Amino acid sequence: MQLTYRFDQECVQIREAADGADIEFEIKILQNGILLKGIKEVQKKFEENSVYTDVLFYAYEDHKYKVIVRKDYYVEFILALMERQILRSVEWV
């Protein structure tokens, strides 16, 4: 089974690519507001836990983020995005 997700393309851009043992995301928040607050909360969640290499965030200008996610934390990361309303839906297919 594969985890798939959807997001509002008018509010956020998300690109995902496999990179060896990790998954690399490029996320750009297009609207100031709840989504920007949400991505910062997701970043805080993973930066404050006890595993330092699970999810690494790199913030850039214009609300752009590069996020490197270890494969074993992929589902947890996707669900954190969903919890903060950055994603519209998540499902196993």
Side-chain angles (χ1 to χ4, degrees):
M1 293 181 84
Q2 179 179 342
L3 189 63
T4 62
Y5 54 86
R6 291 184 319 118
F7 53 90
D8 185 340
Q9 295 179 357
E10 293 182 14
C11 298
V12 64
Q13 296 174 343
I14 300 176
R15 284 187 229 124
E16 171 185 338
D19 184 20
D22 301 320
I23 308 294
E24 187 175 300
F25 288 85
E26 291 180 12
I27 300 173
K28 181 174 181 178
I29 305 298
L30 302 174
Q31 297 180 357
N32 233 351
I34 192 167
L35 296 183
L36 187 57
K37 181 181 179 198
I39 194 71
K40 290 178 181 181
E41 289 173 353
V42 172
Q43 180 179 6
K44 182 178 178 183
K45 169 187 172 126
F46 287 101
E47 286 180 349
E48 291 181 349
N49 71 10
S50 61
V51 182
Y52 299 115
T53 60
D54 54 355
V55 178
L56 303 173
F57 276 81
Y58 300 92
Y60 299 96
E61 293 179 9
D62 298 326
H63 311 303
K64 293 179 187 176
Y65 295 84
K66 179 178 178 180
V67 185
I68 301 172
V69 180
R70 275 187 9 205
K71 284 185 180 178
D72 52 333
Y73 283 89
Y74 179 83
V75 172
E76 186 176 342
F77 176 70
I78 295 297
L79 293 177
L81 294 177
M82 180 69 182
E83 180 180 26
R84 299 292 184 235
Q85 301 178 5
I86 295 164
L87 301 178
R88 294 269 180 158
S89 68
V90 176
E91 69 177 315
W92 292 104
V93 292

